[in-house]
Each structure stands twice: as C-alpha cells, then as structure tokens.
Amino acid sequence: PVAGGTQVMLDDVTQFGGASIVGDTDGKYVYWTSHHHGGALSRCPIANLDKAHIEPVATVDNSSEGLFVDDEYAYYQEDESLVHGKPIWRVAKDGSSEPELLAELDGGFALVGVDDGFVYAQDFDNVIYRVSKTP
C-alpha cells in the first residue's frame, strides 16, 4: 500500500521476465502485465488492493517490458503475434474498447516512454523509435 502497512500480493508474475507494473496518472489504479501467451493487462484500484478487485483490461500475448498509461489509454508491446513484427498497442484503461494497433517494429524490445503525442520504443540494436499515440 502507498501509505505503508501490510504488503498485498495481487498476482504472481515471477515466471514472467517481461512483466511490467505502473501506477495510474491520477493515482487511482495500478496496472500490470503478465508475460506469456494468453497473458493479460490487468488493473486494481489502489483503494482496494486485493485479488477480489482485480479488473481485466486486455488479453496480451507475451508482453515486452514497458507499460505506460496516460489519462485515457494503456500502451504496451507484444513480443509475438499473428501480425508481422512486434506490435505496439493502446487500449482504454478501463478495458471498454478493443486494443488498437499503433505500429509494428521489427526487432522491437521494450517500450521506454510516452509523452503527449508519442510512444517511444527501443529495439535490440538500442535504436529508439517514436510512434504516434493515435492509430
């Protein structure tokens, strides 16, 4: 808990090296991914940090490292998919919409940042790419 106190286990992602966790911009939710085929992007309200309050946001296949949220969306990248390259997605933070494809990068490795207009990703050659936040 943010205010201290007893630790709370929400999800066991110890087997998933690409799992990421991030707090919401308004401090209401915490978001995380589990890195495996058929994995998930989930969220839980900070006011009720327990397994009973976990909310699914999207199915995520083999999420890469890096997860970001802004006022409306969560942004993530997948290592494997049925489309060419490594896709970068955005989805409504509450899971009320289907994920939208923003880009596909060959050799994509991790999301490293987000700002007002762009998502930034790093590839295996340590090259940084800038991708529009809108499809």
Side-chain angles (χ1 to χ4, degrees):
V2 175
T6 305
Q7 296 177 354
V8 177
M9 181 174 151
L10 293 174
D11 198 357
D12 182 0
V13 296
T14 56
Q15 300 299 315
F16 311 119
S20 298
I21 188 166
V22 65
D24 200 351
T25 55
D26 61 10
K28 292 183 180 179
Y29 287 88
V30 63
Y31 295 78
W32 69 95
T33 57
S34 54
H35 178 86
H36 59 86
H37 185 68
L41 167 59
S42 304
R43 75 179 191 169
C44 189
I46 292 174
N48 295 302
L49 283 174
D50 59 53
K51 289 184 178 191
H53 289 90
I54 293 174
E55 302 171 12
V57 176
T59 299
V60 177
D61 286 326
N62 297 307
S63 175
S64 298
E65 292 184 21
L67 170 65
F68 295 92
V69 294
D70 62 15
D71 293 340
E72 297 181 60
Y73 297 99
Y75 302 88
Y76 60 94
Q77 183 174 348
E78 292 177 317
D79 286 342
E80 298 175 15
S81 71
L82 299 177
V83 293
H84 177 71
K86 309 223 187 252
I88 298 173
W89 302 93
R90 79 173 187 179
V91 65
K93 293 189 311 184
D94 62 2
S96 63
S97 67
E98 291 296 315
E100 298 174 285
L101 181 65
L102 299 180
E104 297 173 76
L105 299 177
D106 288 330
F109 176 68
L111 292 187
V112 294
V114 66
D115 64 18
D116 290 342
F118 299 95
V119 177
Y120 299 87
Q122 175 185 354
D123 73 4
F124 288 115
D125 294 322
N126 294 316
V127 175
I128 304 293
Y129 294 88
R130 182 177 81 171
V131 174
S132 175
K133 285 172 59 174
T134 56

